Amino acid sequence: MSEQPKISEEQEIKQQFNELLELCPRCQSAEAKRLIQKAFELANEAHRGVRRKSGELYILHPLAVARIVADEIGLGAKGVAAALLHDVVEDTDYTLEDIEGIFGKKVADIVDGLTKLEGVFDQTQSKQAENFRKLLLTMVEDIRVILIKLADRLHNMRTLDSMPEHKRLKIAGETLYMYAPLAHRLGLYSIKSELEDLAFKYEHPKIFEEISAKLEDYKDKTQHLITRFSLPIIERLSREGYDFDLKGRPKSIYSIWRKMQRKQIPFEEIYDLLAIRIVFTPKEGIPEKAQCWTIYSLITDIYKPKPDRLRDWVSTPKANGYEALHATLMGPEGNWIEIQIRTERMDEIAEKGFAAHWKYKGANEKESELDNWLQRIREVLDNPDSDSLEFLDDFKLNLFTQEIMLFTPKGDVKVMPKGATALDLAFEIHTELGYKCIGAKVNYKLVPISYELKSGDQVEILTSEKQKPKYDWINFVTTAKAKTRIKDAFKKERKGIIHRGEQKLEEALNEKKLTTNAKILKKLQTYYNLPNKEELYFKIGKGVINLENLNKILSDKTANKWIRYWRLSFGKNNLKGGKKNIGKESKKTQMVVSDDMETEEYIIAPCCNPIPGDDVVGYLDQDDKLILHSRKCPVAIRLMSSQGNRIVSAEWESHKILSFLAVINLSGIDQIGIVSKITKVISEDQTVNMRSIHVESHDGIFEGTIYIYIHNTEDLNNLIFNLMRIKGLHNVTRQERIHGN
């Protein structure tokens, strides 16, 4: 049997282009095909001879992006043409004027939005964040910009293997922090899930492989369950005359891991791994919503539902347009199985997001929700004084993935992010209402402005003409709009106070024959636990910090509160050329963190306290100190997405000298001598030192917490395994102390 002849690169390009035209449902007119052909020819010529890091011809990348845009998102000819041209201005000699002359202003504007900023940046700004800001400025004018950018990011993630480790971490962190939530916000569920899984695969390769293998094994073992569960449903719906498709719904690896982390449970205890989806063609003359409920009713005649797991997004769709009915039912073998019911229209909107709305008449109300969201983004972008990193955080607040639904006294619905307070709602309704807010009535009960609202609450905002905004309100709000409006009210006054504080500090240092520098500022920020120098100057200017103990702070050798925690910091740079090479395009090995180290140079981040064996990533701060974060840490993910050029990939060497504090939670049946059995196992383990144990017993059940000093995760896992063998102990887990976002 002869092998098939290998096609040439030119043939492959032609084949990919032909497939693109076939897969684009909105590009079938002669005019649309001409536009795409012209864009392809220009891009092919502009990128001729250029290759990606993987070795393949560069033109295959824009072709792949255009294919995602056409097939998986559903954009039309102009969107596909812009996707083919998205790197032309940035990487070749063509200018935006050339693109506008050939393809018109609309396509040129989209390409401009997708082109990264050039030129010198203020060193205090983040290039990553500035580029993102530019992308969003164009997005609020044309949503296609962000849809193409998401397609570009998806293809980059699919081909990330060819990048060096530190670049992979930067791109994966940025994807998890910004692009996956963006895809979710725009209703692109399949793209969001794939982005999350790919980012997770590069950030935590071992955990990804473990969960992936368990999921495959679980699917094999439970396939007969799904079949047995589905057959009576198929039979009943067919008898009722429904035209439908029933299939398994794959749960993403990242969402499984998130649930394991959030609920502190093992893989085996996640009960919504089994899920099926029913997508049906609605019968004519009956509202879609009514038909969804009819199908739900038919299924609950067969299986009993779990009352607290009914999710009705048919009556009130999510803010990103998602509609479906979710229920969890008890299967034939005592397993909970989730079922999702949706029409073909709902299914397409769930997969392709807002792009799919364009196909359906009467879906204008969903478009207006998108417009509301874009308006909120505009308001954040319109704040000229916020620096790029502050902007990035404010924007992130607008990417809420979980929403709550609130009602005004007149019954109008307001959608807000989960965690929003009464003050957030006041600012959402109107800026002046926020400034005058003194409290609220929630479900007719009086509550303070800091009260956290819950879905379904009816809220009446209370105001007073005497009320004036206070700067500490910023601690009571979660939305970007509210934070921006509070900052606006104090902008001028705050600038004056900051300037006064800067002068006060300068005068105090001059008396000691010192001048302000980064090291002194860092010591003061750390001592007073402040996030930046502006906050330090502000507190000095306000008189909150009086500088009387300046001598003591500056002479404190520990220099950093973080080190006091363990009086440990460590690291060993095995890169040639030292730290100057970090973050550059040089060939690099991983930085190995080991026992023989200089104490002042490496710090364990207090927000996540990684111990040897945990997946870690290094971040170089302004003083060139390497700070080690757990890769799971929200702070680390934020740094990778905004300060990617300062990220260093790191790994542990085996530690048998230094000890690290770890916390174990345990629970079980209370019985005589259980505590002595636990302490016996710990004392017999030569690799562990116990610092303290705290146990509480109630109604025959006990719960306890043990603080131990451990060398690495391997020793910790061995200890947990030995504790689990004690009769009566039901649950033993490590408590991962990850804080902050």
Side-chain angles (χ1 to χ4, degrees):
M1 198 173 144
S2 61
E3 282 186 28
Q4 278 195 320
K6 195 179 176 187
I7 61 169
S8 70
E9 288 181 328
E10 284 300 319
Q11 285 171 312
E12 187 184 355
I13 292 167
K14 194 173 180 189
Q15 185 181 315
Q16 294 280 350
F17 177 67
N18 290 335
E19 283 177 14
L20 167 65
L21 285 178
E22 281 172 35
L23 287 164
C24 184
R26 299 179 65 205
C27 312
Q28 296 309 309
S29 70
E31 187 188 350
K33 284 184 176 176
R34 272 198 304 275
L35 177 69
I36 293 168
Q37 179 82 39
K38 193 161 63 167
F40 165 68
E41 283 167 3
L42 187 144
N44 194 18
E45 187 54 45
H47 295 302
R48 191 172 294 284
V50 181
R51 292 182 182 274
R52 298 184 85 206
K53 276 200 165 67
S54 59
E56 69 174 17
L57 282 171
Y58 197 90
I59 187 62
L60 291 171
H61 168 64
L63 271 169
V65 172
R67 185 172 174 156
I68 293 167
V69 160
D71 184 30
E72 297 180 46
I73 297 177
L75 292 190
K78 281 182 182 167
V80 173
L84 286 166
L85 299 164
H86 79 271
D87 278 335
V88 165
V89 173
E90 193 176 323
D91 296 341
T92 75
D93 293 335
Y94 282 92
T95 64
L96 269 173
E97 289 71 29
D98 297 332
I99 302 295
E100 188 172 340
I102 302 166
F103 297 97
K105 188 167 182 351
K106 207 64 183 158
V107 173
D109 284 347
I110 297 172
V111 173
D112 183 28
L114 292 159
T115 304
K116 292 192 189 80
L117 296 172
E118 290 303 321
V120 182
F121 277 84
D122 172 355
Q123 288 305 298
T124 62
Q125 300 291 303
S126 157
K127 189 168 181 178
Q128 259 174 301
E130 282 295 338
N131 279 322
F132 203 80
R133 186 177 198 146
K134 183 201 175 189
L135 179 73
L136 293 169
L137 274 164
T138 327
M139 178 194 85
V140 294
E141 302 308 322
D142 193 328
I143 197 72
R144 285 174 292 190
V145 173
I146 204 70
L147 295 173
I148 296 167
K149 185 63 188 173
L150 285 166
D152 177 42
R153 176 52 58 119
L154 180 58
H155 186 248
N156 282 336
M157 290 300 295
R158 285 172 179 173
T159 56
L160 203 57
D161 275 329
S162 55
M163 300 295 276
E165 167 82 356
H166 73 287
K167 277 280 179 71
R168 289 207 295 261
L169 285 174
K170 170 193 165 183
I171 293 166
E174 196 178 60
T175 300
L176 268 185
Y177 189 76
M178 276 294 161
Y179 290 101
L182 248 176
H184 178 94
R185 196 63 190 77
L186 294 167
L188 298 158
Y189 279 91
S190 52
I191 287 178
K192 169 231 178 196
S193 296
E194 191 177 346
L195 284 173
E196 284 178 342
D197 275 0
L198 287 167
F200 184 56
K201 175 183 160 187
Y202 289 108
E203 287 205 336
H204 303 287
K206 284 183 198 159
I207 303 172
F208 180 87
E209 288 302 324
E210 279 171 24
I211 296 175
S212 190
K214 281 182 180 175
L215 197 57
E216 279 306 310
D217 186 44
Y218 187 79
K219 278 182 195 164
D220 293 342
K221 285 179 183 170
T222 54
Q223 190 54 53
H224 75 284
L225 258 178
I226 291 286
T227 308
R228 194 175 157 199
F229 177 80
S230 305
L231 284 172
I233 296 174
I234 293 168
E235 194 183 307
R236 186 69 193 270
L237 295 185
S238 302
R239 206 164 64 229
E240 295 292 331
Y242 281 99
D243 178 11
F244 66 95
D245 184 25
L246 187 147
K247 56 191 173 190
R249 176 196 61 87
K251 194 164 177 70
S252 81
I253 291 168
Y254 179 74
S255 67
I256 291 170
W257 177 76
R258 286 270 298 170
K259 189 164 271 191
M260 286 164 65
Q261 294 294 304
R262 200 169 60 246
K263 299 198 169 180
Q264 289 285 307
I265 54 173
F267 177 88
E268 292 70 24
E269 286 180 30
I270 294 175
Y271 65 76
D272 59 351
L273 288 171
L274 291 172
I276 60 170
R277 182 177 293 154
I278 294 170
V279 179
F280 69 96
T281 308
K283 296 174 182 178
E284 283 186 28
I286 309 169
E288 286 184 357
K289 183 170 87 167
Q291 293 186 57
C292 287
W293 282 107
T294 302
I295 289 172
Y296 170 74
S297 175
L298 292 169
I299 293 168
T300 54
D301 286 345
I302 307 166
Y303 300 113
K304 288 285 170 278
K306 196 170 196 285
D308 60 338
R309 293 289 298 174
L310 181 65
R311 300 285 181 269
D312 175 12
W313 287 304
V314 177
S315 306
T316 48
K318 286 187 178 183
N320 60 14
Y322 180 82
E323 292 174 76
L325 199 56
H326 291 201
T328 302
L329 305 150
M330 178 56 79
E333 291 182 24
N335 299 84
W336 289 113
I337 297 177
E338 186 182 74
I339 192 158
Q340 299 177 354
I341 304 164
R342 50 171 91 150
T343 63
E344 287 162 340
R345 177 190 68 82
M346 293 172 188
D347 189 55
E348 191 164 1
I349 288 167
E351 296 308 309
K352 294 183 177 176
F354 279 104
H357 281 294
W358 302 337
K359 282 176 59 180
Y360 299 103
K361 302 244 187 302
N364 294 336
E365 67 278 2
K366 311 295 184 304
E367 292 291 321
S368 70
E369 181 51 52
L370 175 63
D371 290 337
N372 292 341
W373 179 66
L374 291 175
Q375 183 54 41
R376 287 202 286 274
I377 302 304
R378 258 187 215 105
E379 286 167 359
V380 178
L381 288 163
D382 285 346
N383 180 9
D385 291 339
S386 72
D387 69 36
S388 55
L389 291 175
E390 188 180 303
F391 158 75
L392 200 66
D393 288 341
D394 282 350
F395 176 72
K396 182 77 168 88
L397 290 172
N398 271 296
L399 280 177
F400 46 87
T401 51
Q402 283 188 294
E403 294 124 359
I404 56 173
M405 208 156 278
L406 306 168
F407 296 91
T408 66
K410 290 181 180 174
D412 296 331
V413 175
K414 289 280 176 192
V415 176
M416 295 289 284
K418 192 176 179 185
T421 62
L423 191 56
D424 278 308
L425 181 62
F427 277 107
E428 180 64 26
I429 296 167
H430 197 278
T431 301
E432 281 306 311
L433 195 67
Y435 288 155
K436 302 286 180 198
C437 179
I438 54 168
K441 274 188 181 175
V442 174
N443 306 326
Y444 308 106
K445 286 183 183 172
L446 203 60
V447 297
I449 58 173
S450 58
Y451 179 82
E452 191 175 312
L453 301 168
K454 293 173 190 67
S455 209
D457 281 346
Q458 187 172 27
V459 189
E460 181 188 350
I461 301 297
L462 305 175
T463 60
S464 164
E465 285 305 311
K466 291 177 183 174
Q467 179 68 297
K468 285 189 171 52
K470 299 173 180 63
Y471 195 78
D472 65 355
W473 281 5
I474 215 145
N475 303 317
F476 304 148
V477 292
T478 59
T479 58
K481 181 175 182 177
K483 287 198 173 196
T484 306
R485 293 294 176 260
I486 293 165
K487 285 174 191 170
D488 285 348
F490 290 91
K491 211 159 270 173
K492 279 184 187 167
E493 184 192 342
R494 186 173 167 82
K495 273 186 178 170
I497 294 168
I498 287 171
H499 183 64
R500 193 160 68 242
E502 194 173 355
Q503 284 179 322
K504 273 188 180 180
L505 180 60
E506 219 167 279
E507 286 163 13
L509 289 171
N510 284 345
E511 283 177 24
K512 301 179 190 314
K513 306 285 190 289
L514 293 169
T515 53
T516 312
N517 61 42
K519 200 171 179 184
I520 286 173
L521 289 172
K522 191 81 177 166
K523 277 194 172 189
L524 287 164
Q525 277 169 234
T526 306
Y527 185 84
Y528 290 109
N529 200 19
L530 297 170
N532 52 47
K533 62 182 179 185
E534 281 74 24
E535 204 59 37
L536 174 70
Y537 291 146
F538 180 73
K539 295 238 161 125
I540 294 169
K542 283 280 277 186
V544 178
I545 294 172
N546 58 24
L547 299 177
E548 282 174 8
N549 55 349
L550 198 57
N551 273 345
K552 180 185 176 298
I553 299 168
L554 298 181
S555 62
D556 191 347
K557 291 286 183 226
T558 51
N560 200 311
K561 275 188 172 175
W562 297 358
I563 295 170
R564 282 185 212 147
Y565 187 68
W566 281 321
R567 296 192 178 277
L568 284 179
S569 52
F570 43 76
K572 178 185 176 185
N573 190 346
N574 67 344
L575 298 178
K576 286 176 186 168
K579 275 182 279 197
K580 289 183 180 139
N581 255 348
I582 290 169
K584 293 190 180 170
E585 284 300 322
S586 57
K587 282 189 181 175
K588 45 183 68 185
T589 57
Q590 283 201 318
M591 176 166 288
V592 178
V593 181
S594 64
D595 299 341
D596 46 342
M597 41 210 60
E598 295 172 36
T599 38
E600 292 285 312
E601 294 215 354
Y602 298 86
I603 297 166
I604 293 173
C607 49
C608 52
N609 299 300
I611 71 171
D614 286 340
D615 285 337
V616 287
V617 65
Y619 168 70
L620 270 182
D621 72 2
Q622 273 76 11
D623 300 331
D624 270 353
K625 275 186 183 167
L626 185 78
I627 302 165
L628 278 177
H629 284 272
S630 163
R631 287 193 191 180
K632 298 174 188 176
C633 176
V635 175
I637 293 168
R638 178 175 168 272
L639 290 169
M640 285 189 263
S641 65
S642 58
Q643 302 276 336
N645 60 320
R646 304 190 74 86
I647 292 296
V648 188
S649 58
E651 66 178 15
W652 301 95
E653 269 188 353
S654 178
H655 277 248
K656 289 293 176 188
I657 299 169
L658 299 175
S659 290
F660 300 81
L661 190 62
V663 183
I664 289 177
N665 292 330
L666 29 83
S667 62
I669 306 295
D670 192 14
Q671 49 191 245
I672 295 165
I674 191 88
V675 174
S676 64
K677 285 177 190 171
I678 292 166
T679 51
K680 186 170 183 280
V681 168
I682 296 170
S683 62
E684 284 175 356
D685 193 326
Q686 299 300 310
T687 63
V688 177
N689 273 321
M690 185 164 69
R691 189 181 87 173
S692 66
I693 181 167
H694 176 73
V695 179
E696 278 187 5
S697 173
H698 46 86
D699 301 331
I701 302 293
F702 81 89
E703 289 178 345
T705 307
I706 308 171
Y707 287 81
I708 51 169
Y709 286 105
I710 202 100
H711 295 307
N712 54 35
T713 50
E714 191 184 344
D715 291 345
L716 182 63
N717 292 336
N718 286 337
L719 176 65
I720 289 172
F721 177 73
N722 289 331
L723 287 169
M724 282 297 285
R725 291 161 71 180
I726 298 172
K727 197 176 177 185
L729 259 185
H730 279 236
N731 196 24
V732 184
T733 53
R734 173 188 172 190
Q735 180 182 314
E736 294 193 59
R737 293 163 299 152
I738 292 178
H739 317 290
N741 199 0

